[in-house]
Amino acid sequence: MAHTIPDLYTEGLPPARPPIPDDHVQRWACRRCAVARTGWTLPVRVWACVHDEVCPRHNLWIGREVFTPEQQLDLTRTPDVIRAQRRYWRLRRRYGPTVTDTCQEATSKLWSGLAHRHYRLNRRVELLHDLVRVKGPEVEPDRTAPWRIAAEYPERVTLIGLFASAHWRRAVLNDDPLVVAQALDEFHRRFPLQTPLRGTSRTWLSTTIEATARQIEGLLNPSRGATASTAR
């Protein structure tokens, strides 16, 4: 307010602008929030937290791959995407930003591999894709479009939550094969595949799960990770 009302200036100069947090980026505000707060339909750019992918108040996808207000998807028909945003913030409060950010970055390769190996598709993908205008049947679906990113968001949050659990990570890295098998069963319970993986894909999954858990454990607990690596 002091930036817009000169009488509030101290010593005749405008106050210093507060620093922008490292996890904030400039992007389009929720178009429905903009109308509700200003009464205008003009788009508004704001500094927003990169972890705010959804506007829970207006059920819009406002995060990654949204480059215009018109690209903000209505998530009314996919409430699990909205719930995933709330769950993500609970994970950050429970485990802290360091653990959550580490798991989010480390699991990206695993998630890409699952998607490449036809991880189960669900109706959410179809619902969100129906909201997007397709230029023609010959146009290949954009794999980085907002609808695709939003459709996979609940699974990404589930994956982050699983690896954020120190108990589960250490079970995967346990020397007891029975404990490891139980940990992998938990993974498959949360990420059921359309069809069982076979051959090299099956080996890839178990190897990548272990490597991801070891990477996260090593980043969060360097001394423990080094000990485990030496033991193996």
Side-chain angles (χ1 to χ4, degrees):
M1 186 177 293
H3 282 282
T4 57
I5 303 178
D7 290 342
L8 296 180
Y9 289 172
T10 56
E11 301 179 1
L13 296 174
R17 180 174 297 179
I20 304 299
D22 292 337
D23 62 351
H24 279 52
V25 295
Q26 193 174 115
R27 67 184 182 196
W28 296 109
C30 166
R31 63 175 187 268
R32 293 173 181 168
C33 284
V35 173
R37 296 181 182 182
T38 67
W40 298 345
T41 57
L42 295 176
V44 177
R45 290 187 67 84
V46 297
W47 285 99
C49 181
V50 295
H51 305 296
D52 285 334
E53 306 279 15
V54 176
C55 174
R57 181 185 296 274
H58 296 109
N59 301 338
L60 288 182
W61 179 264
I62 59 175
R64 282 170 291 169
E65 302 302 325
V66 172
F67 302 113
T68 65
E70 293 74 21
Q71 286 185 303
Q72 295 175 348
L73 292 175
D74 190 326
L75 302 173
T76 304
R77 298 168 65 192
T78 55
D80 45 350
V81 179
I82 303 169
R83 289 193 296 267
Q85 175 70 88
R86 297 190 176 100
R87 184 177 178 224
Y88 180 80
W89 279 111
R90 288 198 299 270
L91 288 174
R92 291 187 75 83
R93 289 193 294 269
R94 178 180 178 182
Y95 294 107
T98 300
V99 173
T100 316
D101 291 344
T102 300
C103 291
Q104 184 168 356
E105 182 176 353
T107 57
S108 60
K109 182 179 179 181
L110 173 57
W111 175 254
S112 297
L114 283 173
H116 179 69
R117 288 165 175 79
H118 306 292
Y119 169 74
R120 63 170 180 148
L121 301 177
N122 52 42
R123 190 163 175 266
R124 187 192 316 129
V125 176
E126 299 174 0
L127 288 173
L128 292 177
H129 183 254
D130 288 344
L131 297 176
V132 181
R133 292 183 178 180
V134 180
K135 295 181 180 179
E138 72 282 356
V139 178
E140 189 70 20
D142 185 357
R143 292 186 176 275
T144 60
W147 66 270
R148 185 177 291 275
I149 303 298
E152 68 184 28
Y153 185 59
E155 282 75 21
R156 289 298 307 270
V157 173
T158 299
L159 193 62
I160 293 169
L162 186 62
F163 278 89
S165 168
H167 173 77
W168 185 85
R169 290 197 310 271
R170 291 165 190 171
V172 170
L173 301 175
N174 200 286
D175 292 330
D176 187 342
L178 180 59
V179 175
V180 175
Q182 292 173 343
L184 292 178
D185 286 343
E186 177 64 15
F187 180 92
H188 290 297
R189 186 184 70 80
R190 300 197 193 190
F191 294 91
L193 299 174
Q194 285 182 315
T195 57
L197 296 178
R198 301 181 184 278
T200 57
S201 291
R202 185 174 181 178
T203 303
W204 166 86
L205 181 59
S206 59
T207 301
T208 306
I209 289 174
E210 178 184 349
T212 303
R214 190 178 306 282
Q215 177 188 359
I216 294 171
E217 193 68 18
L219 290 171
L220 298 178
N221 305 287
S223 58
R224 186 189 299 271
T227 303
S229 299
T230 303
R232 287 180 177 263

